[in-house]
Amino acid sequence: MEPSSESKTKIKLCGLSRECDIEAANQLLPEYIGFVFAKKSMRYVSPEQAAVLRKHLADQILAVGVFVNETPENVAELLMAGVIDIAQLHGSEEESYIERLRMLTDKPVIKAFSVKEEQDIRRAAECSADLVLLDAGTGGTGTVFDWGLLAGMERPYFLAGGLDASTVGEAVRRWRPYAVDVSSGIETDGHKDVEKMIAFVRAVRAENRRGCGENHDK
């Protein structure tokens, strides 16, 4: 029996920066892709580049913009222009920042949390963002945090950090996150690798088919 769409773990392929990345995503149809607007990131794309890439993106895929301490006005501008559908805040943005952003736009917000201890899980659980993302660091580092801390998480979340085709199946099977987020785990020599993208998506969907959406570890 197929698990319901609500129980299936969704997929976000993050850090796309080339037209060939978008073409691969259009074939794989993840629920989300990510554009990184943090200038210090090697995956940085400018708003102008993202606008061009977005035009080639399949309509059913939502584009997420990843920001690090960007001004709410600049984030809202990209949301309202339709370059992105969702804002992901990956810096030190606090509740007041989210409140300001909500005054400027009604588009969804994801807040990322670096997880090192139980207190970080509690902070994520209490956040007012529409969704939260749990990562090992600042994003795109390929490192894993202690998944045992997820037992205390009581709201839907994106799981990130050190995921690739060899590890994501266990993550989905054990924790049934709302979504899994991958960047470095689908790269070779700093660029998105189509074969790794395919393998990652297949691993998630195979586990979704195998599972019934229940998490026996919690």
Side-chain angles (χ1 to χ4, degrees), residues 19-31:
E19 282 195 26
C20 59
D21 300 338
I22 299 296
E23 291 170 3
N26 287 343
Q27 292 297 314
L28 295 169
L29 294 178
E31 286 78 10

Side-chain angles (χ1 to χ4, degrees), residues 61-206:
I61 303 174
L62 296 175
V64 179
V66 180
F67 302 92
V68 177
N69 301 326
E70 185 58 77
T71 66
E73 289 74 16
N74 287 347
V75 175
E77 183 177 353
L78 288 173
L79 286 164
M80 300 311 291
V83 175
I84 54 174
D85 302 293
I86 303 170
Q88 179 176 314
L89 310 177
H90 233 291
S92 58
E93 303 90 354
E94 297 183 349
E95 286 294 316
S96 58
Y97 182 105
I98 297 174
E99 290 174 8
R100 172 60 180 162
L101 190 56
R102 291 197 191 285
M103 293 176 63
L104 299 169
T105 174
D106 61 355
K107 301 293 184 179
V109 177
I110 302 169
K111 179 68 180 88
F113 290 84
S114 176
V115 178
K116 297 179 176 61
E117 56 189 7
E118 288 185 13
Q119 182 179 350
D120 299 319
I121 294 292
R122 288 196 295 272
R123 288 174 52 238
E126 296 168 358
C127 179
S128 69
D130 298 278
L131 287 162
V132 295
L133 181 146
L134 307 179
D135 203 345
T138 55
T141 60
T143 55
V144 181
F145 65 88
D146 178 6
W147 286 352
L149 294 171
L150 294 172
M153 191 58 170
E154 297 180 352
R155 65 178 291 185
Y157 58 88
F158 283 74
L159 178 60
L163 296 175
D164 59 26
S166 69
T167 61
V168 73
E170 178 190 353
V172 172
R173 179 170 59 255
R174 186 176 180 192
W175 300 108
R176 297 290 166 188
Y178 169 80
V180 286
D181 187 315
V182 64
S183 188
S184 61
I186 51 172
E187 292 178 348
T188 298
D189 298 328
H191 295 289
K192 293 297 181 279
D193 182 316
V194 174
E195 294 304 316
K196 289 182 178 180
M197 293 170 76
I198 292 171
F200 185 89
V201 170
R202 282 179 176 171
V204 176
R205 290 179 176 158

Side-chain angles (χ1 to χ4, degrees), residues 17 19 35-37 39 44-56 77-78 81 83-84:
S17 60
E19 282 195 26
F35 295 132
V36 177
F37 295 107
K39 291 184 178 180
Y44 170 76
V45 294
S46 68
E48 294 75 20
Q49 288 174 302
V52 171
L53 292 172
R54 176 59 193 263
K55 290 179 181 179
H56 297 285
E77 183 177 353
L78 288 173
V83 175
I84 54 174

